Amino acid sequence: MDLISRWAQDTSVVGKVTFALAVVVALLLIFRLLLLLADHAPRIGRKKWQAALFLLPVTILLLIGFLGPIVSTVTSSLTAPGEGFVFLDNFVWAFTNPDAQRALGNTLLWVIIAPITATVVGLVYAMLIDGSRSEAVAKALVFFPTAISFVGAAVIWGLMYQQPGLEPAGLVNVILGFFGLEPLGFPTNPLTVTPLMIVVMVWIQAGFATVTLSAAIKAVPVEILEAARIDGASSVQIFWRVILPSIQATLIIVLVTISVLTLKVFDLIKAFGADRFGGDTLANMMYTIYSQSDVGSIGEHYSSTLAMIIFLLVIPFLILQIRQMRKNRAIR
């Protein structure tokens, strides 16, 4: 154990590499041992023994890498240095602190606007290009922003939003000036900083929504569409009464995926520096507090509390997703 401790605490490059290799070798030996045990499992209940042995490493890694951090974060959010268990005091701070309140409000604004807007844009675009000759090219163009990192998107849109007087002038403000409108003042304007960042998120996620919903639309049986047309249904009626109900499951998946992503939005806020001008979110505030706190200080506990709030906000979306999956299985 002393040798392992020395390896783990060694800060030199050679020490780190040696420790990493030792861990890899140890894991390989353990997996090899499990394979040998699986080969020599008792004949009675052999499949169950083998399944248990193969699932054991995954279960251990899941406990260490998933449940361990959750338990640690929950414990940290309910305690304070020098005071021990403080129950919900840290959550009271989160809902009464002005900065935390602003971050929570901005996060809710993100979750309400960004997923719905991106999904609607993707659905409209998917309907417009469905069956067209240039459908593949149109999908590629709208999906391209999805492949760009959030930081890259922030750089692109930072240039688009750039204030007049700076070179090059931001395209958005140039267009506004052409119509005699005032510049956006991004990101220093607290009234527009969050909505304008949401525009960037919609730009990134609309491609994902388009491609996913387009596939769902193509999966709608042609017979049902033809029957609706024969019955005299208009294009609008076919969309609302046939296509939309048929792709409901996919719509929920797209909304849940983008909603969970927006709850964790961090890169855009940090890249734009929007947290300095009233555009902070829970995820960015959590990181900021943690990075600026000393080890064992109350800041670590506050950041854990913000992480738990994000986790609690994610739960309703997970429940919605699980219910939808059960409905799909019941239909099948």
Side-chain angles (χ1 to χ4, degrees):
M1 292 299 293
D2 292 338
L3 180 59
I4 295 176
S5 299
R6 285 199 297 270
W7 271 347
Q9 295 173 3
D10 194 342
T11 57
S12 65
V13 175
V14 175
K16 290 180 179 179
V17 172
T18 304
F19 179 72
L21 290 175
V23 171
V24 171
V25 171
L27 289 174
L28 290 175
L29 290 175
I30 292 172
F31 291 149
R32 178 58 179 168
L33 177 61
L34 290 173
L35 290 174
L36 289 174
L37 292 174
D39 288 338
H40 296 83
R43 292 185 177 180
I44 301 175
R46 186 182 184 87
K47 291 184 178 180
K48 293 182 179 179
W49 277 103
Q50 289 178 336
L53 288 171
F54 282 126
L55 289 174
L56 183 61
V58 178
T59 305
I60 294 174
L61 292 175
L62 184 65
L63 291 172
I64 296 174
F66 182 70
L67 294 181
I70 289 179
V71 172
S72 176
T73 304
V74 171
T75 303
S76 179
S77 67
L78 299 175
T79 57
E83 300 181 36
F85 185 71
V86 294
F87 195 48
L88 297 178
D89 287 0
N90 294 335
F91 288 88
V92 172
W93 166 85
F95 288 104
T96 56
N97 180 273
D99 294 333
Q101 287 178 337
R102 187 182 302 109
L104 177 60
N106 289 336
T107 301
L108 294 177
L109 195 65
W110 274 88
V111 175
I112 293 171
I113 297 177
I116 295 175
T117 305
T119 303
V120 170
V121 171
L123 179 59
V124 171
Y125 194 78
M127 290 295 299
L128 291 175
I129 66 174
D130 184 49
S132 64
R133 292 182 178 179
S134 57
E135 181 178 354
V137 177
K139 283 183 180 178
L141 290 175
V142 75
F143 191 77
F144 177 73
T146 308
I148 300 176
S149 67
F150 284 97
V151 176
V155 172
I156 294 170
W157 280 88
L159 295 173
M160 294 276 287
Y161 289 148
Q162 193 157 273
Q163 297 299 311
L166 298 176
E167 294 296 337
L171 178 61
V172 175
N173 285 316
V174 169
I175 294 174
L176 291 175
F178 179 79
F179 289 101
L181 301 175
E182 294 293 326
L184 296 173
F186 180 85
T188 58
N189 188 340
L191 296 177
T192 59
V193 60
T194 296
L196 291 177
M197 286 191 296
I198 291 176
V199 170
V200 182
M201 176 64 79
V202 171
W203 179 70
I204 295 173
Q205 294 301 317
F208 161 73
T210 298
V211 173
T212 307
L213 294 173
S214 177
I217 292 170
K218 292 184 181 301
V220 178
V222 178
E223 295 80 5
I224 298 178
L225 299 176
E226 291 298 331
R229 292 190 183 97
I230 293 173
D231 289 339
S234 63
S235 298
V236 176
Q237 289 175 325
I238 292 174
F239 173 76
W240 284 105
R241 298 183 181 182
V242 179
I243 295 178
L244 208 57
S246 300
I247 65 171
Q248 179 182 351
T250 307
L251 277 172
I252 292 176
I253 290 174
V254 172
L255 281 169
V256 169
T257 302
I258 301 178
S259 297
V260 173
L261 184 64
T262 54
L263 277 172
K264 303 181 296 180
V265 65
F266 162 79
D267 313 60
L268 291 177
I269 287 81
K270 185 60 66 176
F272 282 129
D275 51 335
R276 294 174 292 167
F277 308 105
D280 210 356
T281 59
L282 289 176
N284 186 73
M285 186 177 183
M286 174 190 69
Y287 167 80
T288 302
I289 292 177
Y290 182 81
S291 62
Q292 295 177 355
S293 300
D294 296 327
V295 177
S297 67
I298 189 63
E300 288 189 346
H301 297 266
Y302 284 161
S303 63
S304 297
T305 303
L306 296 177
M308 285 305 304
I309 293 175
I310 296 173
F311 178 74
L312 293 173
L313 290 174
V314 169
I315 289 177
F317 296 103
L318 297 180
I319 293 174
L320 179 63
Q321 180 71 5
I322 292 171
R323 285 183 177 179
Q324 187 59 47
M325 291 173 63
R326 288 179 177 176
K327 286 182 180 179
N328 294 341
R329 289 178 181 176
I331 294 173
R332 294 174 183 175

